[in-house]
Amino acid sequence: MSLIKICGLKSEADVDAVNLYLPDFAGFIVNYEKSRRNISPEKLADLKKRLDSRIKAVAVTVDEPLESVRKIIKSGSADIAQLHGNENDDYIMSLKADGIEVWKAYVIKTAEDVKRALNSPADMVLLDAGRGNGTAFNWSLINNFGRNYILAGGLDAGNLEIAYKMLSPCVFDVSSGAETDGVKDPFKIRKLVELAHSF
């Protein structure tokens, strides 16, 4: 069974939708004002309380101060820290030393990007085309990728099976592909979860 993360939740309605269909992970973008899905740490804490305990909450941050990320996880507002900026290996190792599970996102454009992701000290790497731009990258770059990873970028119910057959990622990460007109769509979430869990 493949795992799936629905990312970019920002409202009680979004959380209620994932609670119905139980993806494995729910992603919340915290303190990143450039994203239309941005929420505050306080809002994250409220939404985490509403989230079904069977779903792991992932706090997605971009070049956030280390102490801020540490506080979000240690306060119980999220279970996993996903880093989506220029955080270096020391930053990752510092969080891991505190017993925090760390996912690190890498934008894949070249073979060099693939190498950086392969050598990351993060618990899991996320391979993406950009920062939530909803497009896919050249998947042939990661054929036979040598570690478990999360696939992101341009995924939806129409290409999940193709991605699975081509790449068999450990986790699918879907954000805009779970939306209709910019809002999380319970029907799309149900379809995505059913598909991922059928592989």
Side-chain angles (χ1 to χ4, degrees):
M1 182 181 86
S2 297
L3 305 181
I4 186 164
K5 168 173 165 257
I6 303 297
C7 199
L9 307 186
K10 61 180 185 179
S11 69
E12 286 78 8
D14 291 348
V15 171
D16 291 345
V18 295
N19 284 347
L20 270 177
Y21 302 116
L22 299 177
D24 306 280
F25 307 97
F28 302 87
I29 298 165
V30 187
N31 279 352
Y32 186 57
E33 291 178 6
K34 290 181 184 175
S35 172
R36 62 181 174 83
R37 303 180 182 102
N38 178 53
I39 60 171
S40 67
E42 295 74 26
K43 180 74 171 176
L44 171 62
D46 288 343
L47 293 178
K48 173 68 161 66
K49 288 175 190 151
R50 195 180 183 97
L51 186 69
D52 190 297
S53 61
R54 290 169 288 182
I55 305 170
K56 284 193 171 183
V58 181
V60 180
T61 59
V62 180
D63 298 323
E64 187 75 1
L66 192 55
E67 282 310 312
S68 173
V69 175
R70 192 176 274 122
K71 184 179 174 187
I72 287 167
I73 304 296
K74 290 296 184 181
S75 69
S77 295
D79 305 297
I80 299 165
Q82 180 181 316
L83 312 175
H84 233 289
N86 299 301
E87 303 87 359
N88 62 19
D89 289 356
D90 289 342
Y91 186 115
I92 294 167
M93 293 303 291
S94 179
L95 290 175
K96 285 183 65 172
D98 272 348
I100 293 169
E101 183 174 344
V102 181
W103 294 358
K104 176 72 179 92
Y106 291 88
V107 174
I108 302 298
K109 291 179 179 170
T110 67
E112 193 59 37
D113 297 331
V114 174
K115 190 175 174 184
R116 277 180 36 248
L118 268 174
N119 294 326
S120 172
D123 296 292
M124 188 85 91
V125 293
L126 181 146
L127 310 181
D128 200 353
R131 284 186 192 149
N133 61 8
T135 57
F137 60 92
N138 178 2
W139 290 346
S140 66
L141 284 167
I142 56 165
N143 268 338
N144 305 311
F145 191 70
R147 64 183 286 183
N148 284 341
Y149 67 95
I150 303 151
L151 181 66
L155 294 172
D156 57 34
N159 63 7
L160 221 59
E161 186 172 358
I162 298 162
Y164 174 75
K165 285 178 175 172
M166 230 182 117
L167 303 168
S168 298
C170 186
V171 184
F172 293 105
D173 188 321
V174 185
S175 189
S176 54
E179 295 176 352
T180 299
D181 298 328
V183 178
K184 290 292 181 279
D185 183 328
F187 298 103
K188 287 186 176 178
I189 291 170
R190 181 182 72 180
K191 178 69 173 167
L192 286 158
V193 173
E194 285 175 352
L195 263 175
H197 288 172
S198 73
F199 301 145

